[in-house]
Amino acid sequence: MRVASKKLLDDSLHERLATSGFRFTAQRQHVYSVLLRKRDHPTAEQVFIRAKRHMPEISMATVYNCLDALVECGLVRQVTLDRGATHFCPNMKEHCHFYCDVCSGVFDIDLPTQTTLSLPQGFRAERLDLAIHGRCPACSSRKR
Amino acid sequence: MRVASKKLLDDSLHERLATSGFRFTAQRQHVYSVLLRKRDHPTAEQVFIRAKRHMPEISMATVYNCLDALVECGLVRQVTLDRGATHFCPNMKEHCHFYCDVCSGVFDIDLPTQTTLSLPQGFRAERLDLAIHGRCPACSSRKR
DNA sequence: CTAGGTGCAAAAGGTTTGCGGTTAA
DNA sequence: TTAACCGCAAACCTTTTGCACCTAG
């Protein structure tokens, strides 16, 4: 990544955080960059491990704090698929997640749905989470 | 509930369990009846508390075992909406869940979606989970 | 008869909290 | 300057596991 584009990203991150009343910190910048680098729906612990490579002193509590701030200001989606750990996804395009019941892999799926859902009176929807459970290509081809 | 209809329910539960290779036990019967009695998406702990009223010696491990068996044999849906505890829902009609970000309430919503989603090659979908996050009627009318 | 289920208690896994020191705005 | 944030460690909550006993099939 070139310096100029990195600076732009940081400026935009700074602004997003500020808009939601958060401070711009090195930890939040780094956690966000970790998410952008490898978009594989890591758990908080996986983010922690990756973040520590370039920021060895970062703590788990801070990772949660950063992830929560990023979710709050609309840069990251929180994805809860089963009883296990929460996953985090920096892809904010409208899409859904495929969860493989066999290998627990998570995949982004572009959804073709026209989501014109009509909610009963009084409900105010803020976002949709469509999760598809099943078997991913690799696990489909393996014997069951 | 009349005895005849209860017997029918038990027979059907017995058959469903057997089909998936599970035994019919008093605990599974009771846990299922607890879920059917009050369809409010209880967590495992809430099921545990309710189940203990008529079966004081039941354990948490057994509640999880029973819930898992019921999920496995297609009588109960597992609903993971946030970082908190998993919810359980005995409504197997196609529907989605509304999760109130304010009060954490869970509501069944009849979904009008025609879900003709086209998955990429190789993915085999087994079920869909559509969760809508937002504010429920009560929390919408309260001030933010 | 015996594989599978139960209750108990302890362990594991994931997330949150309290606190003293640090820093962005 | 100071409210927000950080790192650390302990606490907390949810779920799983190991084991001795029991029971449905």
PDB file of all heavy atoms in Angstrom, chain B residues 12-44:
ATOM      1  N   SER B  12     -44.817 -38.452  18.266  1.00  0.00           N
ATOM      2  CA  SER B  12     -44.138 -37.789  17.151  1.00  0.00           C
ATOM      3  C   SER B  12     -42.722 -37.392  17.548  1.00  0.00           C
ATOM      4  O   SER B  12     -41.776 -37.521  16.763  1.00  0.00           O
ATOM      5  CB  SER B  12     -44.979 -36.583  16.723  1.00  0.00           C
ATOM      6  OG  SER B  12     -44.195 -35.447  16.585  1.00  0.00           O
ATOM      7  N   LEU B  13     -42.556 -36.927  18.783  1.00  0.00           N
ATOM      8  CA  LEU B  13     -41.224 -36.585  19.269  1.00  0.00           C
ATOM      9  C   LEU B  13     -40.339 -37.829  19.293  1.00  0.00           C
ATOM     10  O   LEU B  13     -39.180 -37.794  18.849  1.00  0.00           O
ATOM     11  CB  LEU B  13     -41.316 -35.980  20.675  1.00  0.00           C
ATOM     12  CG  LEU B  13     -39.989 -35.743  21.404  1.00  0.00           C
ATOM     13  CD1 LEU B  13     -39.081 -34.814  20.616  1.00  0.00           C
ATOM     14  CD2 LEU B  13     -40.230 -35.186  22.799  1.00  0.00           C
ATOM     15  N   HIS B  14     -40.901 -38.917  19.784  1.00  0.00           N
ATOM     16  CA  HIS B  14     -40.177 -40.189  19.849  1.00  0.00           C
ATOM     17  C   HIS B  14     -39.665 -40.582  18.463  1.00  0.00           C
ATOM     18  O   HIS B  14     -38.499 -40.934  18.274  1.00  0.00           O
ATOM     19  CB  HIS B  14     -41.110 -41.271  20.413  1.00  0.00           C
ATOM     20  CG  HIS B  14     -40.405 -42.506  20.840  1.00  0.00           C
ATOM     21  ND1 HIS B  14     -39.538 -43.200  20.011  1.00  0.00           N
ATOM     22  CD2 HIS B  14     -40.420 -43.184  22.016  1.00  0.00           C
ATOM     23  CE1 HIS B  14     -39.061 -44.236  20.666  1.00  0.00           C
ATOM     24  NE2 HIS B  14     -39.566 -44.259  21.888  1.00  0.00           N
ATOM     25  N   GLU B  15     -40.559 -40.469  17.515  1.00  0.00           N
ATOM     26  CA  GLU B  15     -40.212 -40.859  16.144  1.00  0.00           C
ATOM     27  C   GLU B  15     -39.128 -39.961  15.567  1.00  0.00           C
ATOM     28  O   GLU B  15     -38.176 -40.430  14.936  1.00  0.00           O
ATOM     29  CB  GLU B  15     -41.477 -40.790  15.291  1.00  0.00           C
ATOM     30  CG  GLU B  15     -41.314 -41.417  13.919  1.00  0.00           C
ATOM     31  CD  GLU B  15     -42.565 -41.196  13.082  1.00  0.00           C
ATOM     32  OE1 GLU B  15     -43.680 -41.372  13.618  1.00  0.00           O
ATOM     33  OE2 GLU B  15     -42.417 -40.817  11.896  1.00  0.00           O
ATOM     34  N   ARG B  16     -39.280 -38.653  15.808  1.00  0.00           N
ATOM     35  CA  ARG B  16     -38.297 -37.703  15.298  1.00  0.00           C
ATOM     36  C   ARG B  16     -36.919 -37.976  15.875  1.00  0.00           C
ATOM     37  O   ARG B  16     -35.913 -37.935  15.168  1.00  0.00           O
ATOM     38  CB  ARG B  16     -38.705 -36.276  15.658  1.00  0.00           C
ATOM     39  CG  ARG B  16     -39.787 -35.724  14.788  1.00  0.00           C
ATOM     40  CD  ARG B  16     -39.292 -35.614  13.351  1.00  0.00           C
ATOM     41  NE  ARG B  16     -40.020 -34.585  12.654  1.00  0.00           N
ATOM     42  CZ  ARG B  16     -39.499 -33.407  12.329  1.00  0.00           C
ATOM     43  NH1 ARG B  16     -38.249 -33.139  12.616  1.00  0.00           N
ATOM     44  NH2 ARG B  16     -40.228 -32.526  11.698  1.00  0.00           N
ATOM     45  N   LEU B  17     -36.877 -38.220  17.167  1.00  0.00           N
ATOM     46  CA  LEU B  17     -35.604 -38.507  17.828  1.00  0.00           C
ATOM     47  C   LEU B  17     -35.004 -39.786  17.257  1.00  0.00           C
ATOM     48  O   LEU B  17     -33.825 -39.826  16.872  1.00  0.00           O
ATOM     49  CB  LEU B  17     -35.816 -38.639  19.340  1.00  0.00           C
ATOM     50  CG  LEU B  17     -36.066 -37.328  20.095  1.00  0.00           C
ATOM     51  CD1 LEU B  17     -36.564 -37.586  21.513  1.00  0.00           C
ATOM     52  CD2 LEU B  17     -34.800 -36.479  20.142  1.00  0.00           C
ATOM     53  N   ALA B  18     -35.836 -40.821  17.162  1.00  0.00           N
ATOM     54  CA  ALA B  18     -35.361 -42.119  16.675  1.00  0.00           C
ATOM     55  C   ALA B  18     -34.787 -41.985  15.268  1.00  0.00           C
ATOM     56  O   ALA B  18     -33.736 -42.555  14.956  1.00  0.00           O
ATOM     57  CB  ALA B  18     -36.494 -43.132  16.708  1.00  0.00           C
ATOM     58  N   THR B  19     -35.474 -41.222  14.434  1.00  0.00           N
ATOM     59  CA  THR B  19     -35.028 -41.048  13.055  1.00  0.00           C
ATOM     60  C   THR B  19     -33.605 -40.498  12.984  1.00  0.00           C
ATOM     61  O   THR B  19     -32.836 -40.837  12.098  1.00  0.00           O
ATOM     62  CB  THR B  19     -35.981 -40.095  12.303  1.00  0.00           C
ATOM     63  OG1 THR B  19     -37.285 -40.660  12.329  1.00  0.00           O
ATOM     64  CG2 THR B  19     -35.534 -39.889  10.872  1.00  0.00           C
ATOM     65  N   SER B  20     -33.268 -39.632  13.949  1.00  0.00           N
ATOM     66  CA  SER B  20     -31.921 -39.071  13.950  1.00  0.00           C
ATOM     67  C   SER B  20     -30.969 -39.847  14.847  1.00  0.00           C
ATOM     68  O   SER B  20     -29.861 -39.405  15.120  1.00  0.00           O
ATOM     69  CB  SER B  20     -31.971 -37.609  14.412  1.00  0.00           C
ATOM     70  OG  SER B  20     -32.738 -36.835  13.514  1.00  0.00           O
ATOM     71  N   GLY B  21     -31.448 -41.013  15.337  1.00  0.00           N
ATOM     72  CA  GLY B  21     -30.567 -41.867  16.121  1.00  0.00           C
ATOM     73  C   GLY B  21     -30.475 -41.497  17.592  1.00  0.00           C
ATOM     74  O   GLY B  21     -29.549 -41.911  18.292  1.00  0.00           O
ATOM     75  N   PHE B  22     -31.467 -40.719  18.062  1.00  0.00           N
ATOM     76  CA  PHE B  22     -31.464 -40.338  19.476  1.00  0.00           C
ATOM     77  C   PHE B  22     -32.481 -41.165  20.253  1.00  0.00           C
ATOM     78  O   PHE B  22     -33.487 -41.609  19.701  1.00  0.00           O
ATOM     79  CB  PHE B  22     -31.829 -38.856  19.624  1.00  0.00           C
ATOM     80  CG  PHE B  22     -30.789 -37.916  19.084  1.00  0.00           C
ATOM     81  CD1 PHE B  22     -31.023 -37.227  17.899  1.00  0.00           C
ATOM     82  CD2 PHE B  22     -29.592 -37.717  19.758  1.00  0.00           C
ATOM     83  CE1 PHE B  22     -30.070 -36.349  17.396  1.00  0.00           C
ATOM     84  CE2 PHE B  22     -28.644 -36.840  19.248  1.00  0.00           C
ATOM     85  CZ  PHE B  22     -28.878 -36.166  18.071  1.00  0.00           C
ATOM     86  N   ARG B  23     -32.235 -41.327  21.549  1.00  0.00           N
ATOM     87  CA  ARG B  23     -33.206 -41.995  22.406  1.00  0.00           C
ATOM     88  C   ARG B  23     -34.255 -41.012  22.878  1.00  0.00           C
ATOM     89  O   ARG B  23     -34.003 -39.817  23.000  1.00  0.00           O
ATOM     90  CB  ARG B  23     -32.516 -42.583  23.632  1.00  0.00           C
ATOM     91  CG  ARG B  23     -31.670 -43.773  23.320  1.00  0.00           C
ATOM     92  CD  ARG B  23     -31.238 -44.381  24.625  1.00  0.00           C
ATOM     93  NE  ARG B  23     -30.307 -45.469  24.411  1.00  0.00           N
ATOM     94  CZ  ARG B  23     -29.571 -45.994  25.379  1.00  0.00           C
ATOM     95  NH1 ARG B  23     -29.661 -45.502  26.604  1.00  0.00           N
ATOM     96  NH2 ARG B  23     -28.777 -46.983  25.138  1.00  0.00           N
ATOM     97  N   PHE B  24     -35.434 -41.550  23.177  1.00  0.00           N
ATOM     98  CA  PHE B  24     -36.496 -40.757  23.780  1.00  0.00           C
ATOM     99  C   PHE B  24     -36.310 -40.814  25.288  1.00  0.00           C
ATOM    100  O   PHE B  24     -36.328 -41.892  25.878  1.00  0.00           O
ATOM    101  CB  PHE B  24     -37.854 -41.345  23.390  1.00  0.00           C
ATOM    102  CG  PHE B  24     -39.025 -40.641  23.999  1.00  0.00           C
ATOM    103  CD1 PHE B  24     -39.565 -39.517  23.393  1.00  0.00           C
ATOM    104  CD2 PHE B  24     -39.590 -41.105  25.178  1.00  0.00           C
ATOM    105  CE1 PHE B  24     -40.653 -38.873  23.949  1.00  0.00           C
ATOM    106  CE2 PHE B  24     -40.679 -40.447  25.738  1.00  0.00           C
ATOM    107  CZ  PHE B  24     -41.207 -39.331  25.123  1.00  0.00           C
ATOM    108  N   THR B  25     -36.103 -39.655  25.906  1.00  0.00           N
ATOM    109  CA  THR B  25     -35.933 -39.640  27.366  1.00  0.00           C
ATOM    110  C   THR B  25     -36.891 -38.632  27.980  1.00  0.00           C
ATOM    111  O   THR B  25     -37.382 -37.720  27.293  1.00  0.00           O
ATOM    112  CB  THR B  25     -34.506 -39.243  27.777  1.00  0.00           C
ATOM    113  OG1 THR B  25     -34.283 -37.868  27.432  1.00  0.00           O
ATOM    114  CG2 THR B  25     -33.471 -40.118  27.100  1.00  0.00           C
ATOM    115  N   ALA B  26     -37.141 -38.816  29.267  1.00  0.00           N
ATOM    116  CA  ALA B  26     -38.038 -37.902  29.982  1.00  0.00           C
ATOM    117  C   ALA B  26     -37.506 -36.474  29.909  1.00  0.00           C
ATOM    118  O   ALA B  26     -38.274 -35.517  29.771  1.00  0.00           O
ATOM    119  CB  ALA B  26     -38.176 -38.338  31.437  1.00  0.00           C
ATOM    120  N   GLN B  27     -36.165 -36.346  29.962  1.00  0.00           N
ATOM    121  CA  GLN B  27     -35.585 -35.001  29.937  1.00  0.00           C
ATOM    122  C   GLN B  27     -35.827 -34.316  28.600  1.00  0.00           C
ATOM    123  O   GLN B  27     -36.170 -33.129  28.543  1.00  0.00           O
ATOM    124  CB  GLN B  27     -34.077 -35.080  30.224  1.00  0.00           C
ATOM    125  CG  GLN B  27     -33.731 -35.378  31.678  1.00  0.00           C
ATOM    126  CD  GLN B  27     -33.782 -36.868  32.017  1.00  0.00           C
ATOM    127  OE1 GLN B  27     -34.271 -37.691  31.223  1.00  0.00           O
ATOM    128  NE2 GLN B  27     -33.292 -37.231  33.191  1.00  0.00           N
ATOM    129  N   ARG B  28     -35.634 -35.053  27.502  1.00  0.00           N
ATOM    130  CA  ARG B  28     -35.831 -34.442  26.177  1.00  0.00           C
ATOM    131  C   ARG B  28     -37.287 -34.062  25.979  1.00  0.00           C
ATOM    132  O   ARG B  28     -37.590 -32.994  25.433  1.00  0.00           O
ATOM    133  CB  ARG B  28     -35.354 -35.419  25.098  1.00  0.00           C
ATOM    134  CG  ARG B  28     -33.843 -35.440  25.035  1.00  0.00           C
ATOM    135  CD  ARG B  28     -33.284 -36.483  24.098  1.00  0.00           C
ATOM    136  NE  ARG B  28     -31.824 -36.427  24.159  1.00  0.00           N
ATOM    137  CZ  ARG B  28     -31.017 -37.382  23.757  1.00  0.00           C
ATOM    138  NH1 ARG B  28     -31.506 -38.498  23.249  1.00  0.00           N
ATOM    139  NH2 ARG B  28     -29.716 -37.242  23.861  1.00  0.00           N
ATOM    140  N   GLN B  29     -38.172 -34.953  26.428  1.00  0.00           N
ATOM    141  CA  GLN B  29     -39.597 -34.659  26.346  1.00  0.00           C
ATOM    142  C   GLN B  29     -39.914 -33.374  27.126  1.00  0.00           C
ATOM    143  O   GLN B  29     -40.609 -32.489  26.633  1.00  0.00           O
ATOM    144  CB  GLN B  29     -40.354 -35.850  26.942  1.00  0.00           C
ATOM    145  CG  GLN B  29     -41.846 -35.678  27.030  1.00  0.00           C
ATOM    146  CD  GLN B  29     -42.468 -36.807  27.830  1.00  0.00           C
ATOM    147  OE1 GLN B  29     -41.898 -37.287  28.809  1.00  0.00           O
ATOM    148  NE2 GLN B  29     -43.638 -37.243  27.395  1.00  0.00           N
ATOM    149  N   HIS B  30     -39.368 -33.298  28.311  1.00  0.00           N
ATOM    150  CA  HIS B  30     -39.673 -32.162  29.176  1.00  0.00           C
ATOM    151  C   HIS B  30     -39.086 -30.854  28.628  1.00  0.00           C
ATOM    152  O   HIS B  30     -39.759 -29.819  28.616  1.00  0.00           O
ATOM    153  CB  HIS B  30     -39.157 -32.432  30.593  1.00  0.00           C
ATOM    154  CG  HIS B  30     -39.518 -31.360  31.571  1.00  0.00           C
ATOM    155  ND1 HIS B  30     -40.805 -30.867  31.710  1.00  0.00           N
ATOM    156  CD2 HIS B  30     -38.760 -30.660  32.456  1.00  0.00           C
ATOM    157  CE1 HIS B  30     -40.811 -29.923  32.624  1.00  0.00           C
ATOM    158  NE2 HIS B  30     -39.590 -29.765  33.088  1.00  0.00           N
ATOM    159  N   VAL B  31     -37.842 -30.906  28.185  1.00  0.00           N
ATOM    160  CA  VAL B  31     -37.214 -29.704  27.621  1.00  0.00           C
ATOM    161  C   VAL B  31     -38.011 -29.210  26.412  1.00  0.00           C
ATOM    162  O   VAL B  31     -38.257 -28.002  26.264  1.00  0.00           O
ATOM    163  CB  VAL B  31     -35.742 -29.977  27.226  1.00  0.00           C
ATOM    164  CG1 VAL B  31     -35.221 -28.905  26.273  1.00  0.00           C
ATOM    165  CG2 VAL B  31     -34.871 -30.034  28.478  1.00  0.00           C
ATOM    166  N   TYR B  32     -38.452 -30.152  25.592  1.00  0.00           N
ATOM    167  CA  TYR B  32     -39.240 -29.747  24.417  1.00  0.00           C
ATOM    168  C   TYR B  32     -40.560 -29.115  24.854  1.00  0.00           C
ATOM    169  O   TYR B  32     -40.976 -28.088  24.306  1.00  0.00           O
ATOM    170  CB  TYR B  32     -39.487 -30.963  23.521  1.00  0.00           C
ATOM    171  CG  TYR B  32     -40.080 -30.618  22.174  1.00  0.00           C
ATOM    172  CD1 TYR B  32     -39.621 -29.522  21.442  1.00  0.00           C
ATOM    173  CD2 TYR B  32     -41.097 -31.398  21.621  1.00  0.00           C
ATOM    174  CE1 TYR B  32     -40.155 -29.208  20.208  1.00  0.00           C
ATOM    175  CE2 TYR B  32     -41.631 -31.094  20.378  1.00  0.00           C
ATOM    176  CZ  TYR B  32     -41.171 -29.994  19.680  1.00  0.00           C
ATOM    177  OH  TYR B  32     -41.705 -29.688  18.457  1.00  0.00           O
ATOM    178  N   SER B  33     -41.201 -29.695  25.852  1.00  0.00           N
ATOM    179  CA  SER B  33     -42.472 -29.140  26.317  1.00  0.00           C
ATOM    180  C   SER B  33     -42.278 -27.746  26.912  1.00  0.00           C
ATOM    181  O   SER B  33     -43.138 -26.874  26.764  1.00  0.00           O
ATOM    182  CB  SER B  33     -43.127 -30.078  27.336  1.00  0.00           C
ATOM    183  OG  SER B  33     -42.574 -29.891  28.634  1.00  0.00           O
ATOM    184  N   VAL B  34     -41.163 -27.548  27.573  1.00  0.00           N
ATOM    185  CA  VAL B  34     -40.845 -26.227  28.122  1.00  0.00           C
ATOM    186  C   VAL B  34     -40.736 -25.198  27.000  1.00  0.00           C
ATOM    187  O   VAL B  34     -41.242 -24.078  27.093  1.00  0.00           O
ATOM    188  CB  VAL B  34     -39.536 -26.280  28.941  1.00  0.00           C
ATOM    189  CG1 VAL B  34     -38.917 -24.896  29.084  1.00  0.00           C
ATOM    190  CG2 VAL B  34     -39.801 -26.885  30.314  1.00  0.00           C
ATOM    191  N   LEU B  35     -40.078 -25.593  25.907  1.00  0.00           N
ATOM    192  CA  LEU B  35     -39.935 -24.681  24.772  1.00  0.00           C
ATOM    193  C   LEU B  35     -41.287 -24.373  24.138  1.00  0.00           C
ATOM    194  O   LEU B  35     -41.551 -23.232  23.752  1.00  0.00           O
ATOM    195  CB  LEU B  35     -39.004 -25.288  23.711  1.00  0.00           C
ATOM    196  CG  LEU B  35     -37.514 -25.183  23.994  1.00  0.00           C
ATOM    197  CD1 LEU B  35     -36.729 -25.945  22.954  1.00  0.00           C
ATOM    198  CD2 LEU B  35     -37.073 -23.722  24.024  1.00  0.00           C
ATOM    199  N   LEU B  36     -42.129 -25.393  24.040  1.00  0.00           N
ATOM    200  CA  LEU B  36     -43.426 -25.195  23.392  1.00  0.00           C
ATOM    201  C   LEU B  36     -44.372 -24.349  24.244  1.00  0.00           C
ATOM    202  O   LEU B  36     -45.183 -23.600  23.710  1.00  0.00           O
ATOM    203  CB  LEU B  36     -44.084 -26.547  23.085  1.00  0.00           C
ATOM    204  CG  LEU B  36     -43.411 -27.391  22.004  1.00  0.00           C
ATOM    205  CD1 LEU B  36     -44.120 -28.716  21.842  1.00  0.00           C
ATOM    206  CD2 LEU B  36     -43.397 -26.628  20.668  1.00  0.00           C
ATOM    207  N   ARG B  37     -44.225 -24.450  25.549  1.00  0.00           N
ATOM    208  CA  ARG B  37     -45.164 -23.769  26.446  1.00  0.00           C
ATOM    209  C   ARG B  37     -45.082 -22.250  26.309  1.00  0.00           C
ATOM    210  O   ARG B  37     -46.091 -21.562  26.296  1.00  0.00           O
ATOM    211  CB  ARG B  37     -44.865 -24.161  27.893  1.00  0.00           C
ATOM    212  CG  ARG B  37     -45.712 -23.418  28.915  1.00  0.00           C
ATOM    213  CD  ARG B  37     -46.468 -24.349  29.829  1.00  0.00           C
ATOM    214  NE  ARG B  37     -45.577 -25.317  30.427  1.00  0.00           N
ATOM    215  CZ  ARG B  37     -45.893 -26.601  30.637  1.00  0.00           C
ATOM    216  NH1 ARG B  37     -47.057 -27.060  30.274  1.00  0.00           N
ATOM    217  NH2 ARG B  37     -45.023 -27.410  31.202  1.00  0.00           N
ATOM    218  N   LYS B  38     -43.881 -21.718  26.261  1.00  0.00           N
ATOM    219  CA  LYS B  38     -43.716 -20.253  26.194  1.00  0.00           C
ATOM    220  C   LYS B  38     -42.695 -19.973  25.098  1.00  0.00           C
ATOM    221  O   LYS B  38     -41.514 -20.141  25.303  1.00  0.00           O
ATOM    222  CB  LYS B  38     -43.225 -19.736  27.562  1.00  0.00           C
ATOM    223  CG  LYS B  38     -43.247 -18.247  27.746  1.00  0.00           C
ATOM    224  CD  LYS B  38     -43.477 -17.865  29.212  1.00  0.00           C
ATOM    225  CE  LYS B  38     -43.351 -16.379  29.472  1.00  0.00           C
ATOM    226  NZ  LYS B  38     -41.953 -15.955  29.682  1.00  0.00           N
ATOM    227  N   ARG B  39     -43.198 -19.541  23.962  1.00  0.00           N
ATOM    228  CA  ARG B  39     -42.361 -19.430  22.769  1.00  0.00           C
ATOM    229  C   ARG B  39     -41.702 -18.063  22.711  1.00  0.00           C
ATOM    230  O   ARG B  39     -41.919 -17.278  21.808  1.00  0.00           O
ATOM    231  CB  ARG B  39     -43.209 -19.678  21.523  1.00  0.00           C
ATOM    232  CG  ARG B  39     -43.717 -21.108  21.431  1.00  0.00           C
ATOM    233  CD  ARG B  39     -45.000 -21.170  20.625  1.00  0.00           C
ATOM    234  NE  ARG B  39     -45.273 -22.547  20.188  1.00  0.00           N
ATOM    235  CZ  ARG B  39     -44.851 -23.055  19.042  1.00  0.00           C
ATOM    236  NH1 ARG B  39     -44.130 -22.334  18.213  1.00  0.00           N
ATOM    237  NH2 ARG B  39     -45.163 -24.299  18.716  1.00  0.00           N
ATOM    238  N   ASP B  40     -40.812 -17.837  23.667  1.00  0.00           N
ATOM    239  CA  ASP B  40     -40.216 -16.517  23.765  1.00  0.00           C
ATOM    240  C   ASP B  40     -38.700 -16.543  23.551  1.00  0.00           C
ATOM    241  O   ASP B  40     -37.982 -15.695  24.067  1.00  0.00           O
ATOM    242  CB  ASP B  40     -40.535 -15.891  25.120  1.00  0.00           C
ATOM    243  CG  ASP B  40     -40.043 -16.749  26.266  1.00  0.00           C
ATOM    244  OD1 ASP B  40     -39.656 -17.909  26.019  1.00  0.00           O
ATOM    245  OD2 ASP B  40     -40.016 -16.270  27.407  1.00  0.00           O
ATOM    246  N   HIS B  41     -38.192 -17.540  22.828  1.00  0.00           N
ATOM    247  CA  HIS B  41     -36.770 -17.592  22.506  1.00  0.00           C
ATOM    248  C   HIS B  41     -35.866 -17.597  23.722  1.00  0.00           C
ATOM    249  O   HIS B  41     -34.971 -16.756  23.839  1.00  0.00           O
ATOM    250  CB  HIS B  41     -36.390 -16.430  21.577  1.00  0.00           C
ATOM    251  CG  HIS B  41     -37.298 -16.313  20.396  1.00  0.00           C
ATOM    252  ND1 HIS B  41     -38.462 -15.613  20.437  1.00  0.00           N
ATOM    253  CD2 HIS B  41     -37.206 -16.826  19.164  1.00  0.00           C
ATOM    254  CE1 HIS B  41     -39.065 -15.684  19.263  1.00  0.00           C
ATOM    255  NE2 HIS B  41     -38.323 -16.420  18.468  1.00  0.00           N
ATOM    256  N   PRO B  42     -36.090 -18.519  24.641  1.00  0.00           N
ATOM    257  CA  PRO B  42     -35.271 -18.561  25.848  1.00  0.00           C
ATOM    258  C   PRO B  42     -33.839 -18.994  25.554  1.00  0.00           C
ATOM    259  O   PRO B  42     -33.576 -19.665  24.554  1.00  0.00           O
ATOM    260  CB  PRO B  42     -35.974 -19.601  26.719  1.00  0.00           C
ATOM    261  CG  PRO B  42     -36.672 -20.495  25.744  1.00  0.00           C
ATOM    262  CD  PRO B  42     -37.094 -19.600  24.620  1.00  0.00           C
ATOM    263  N   THR B  43     -32.928 -18.608  26.422  1.00  0.00           N
ATOM    264  CA  THR B  43     -31.561 -19.113  26.375  1.00  0.00           C
ATOM    265  C   THR B  43     -31.534 -20.467  27.088  1.00  0.00           C
ATOM    266  O   THR B  43     -32.502 -20.858  27.750  1.00  0.00           O
ATOM    267  CB  THR B  43     -30.611 -18.159  27.109  1.00  0.00           C
ATOM    268  OG1 THR B  43     -30.979 -18.111  28.490  1.00  0.00           O
ATOM    269  CG2 THR B  43     -30.668 -16.759  26.527  1.00  0.00           C
ATOM    270  N   ALA B  44     -30.407 -21.156  26.971  1.00  0.00           N
ATOM    271  CA  ALA B  44     -30.277 -22.455  27.634  1.00  0.00           C
ATOM    272  C   ALA B  44     -30.518 -22.300  29.133  1.00  0.00           C
ATOM    273  O   ALA B  44     -31.189 -23.128  29.749  1.00  0.00           O
ATOM    274  CB  ALA B  44     -28.894 -23.044  27.366  1.00  0.00           C
TER     275      ALA B  44
END
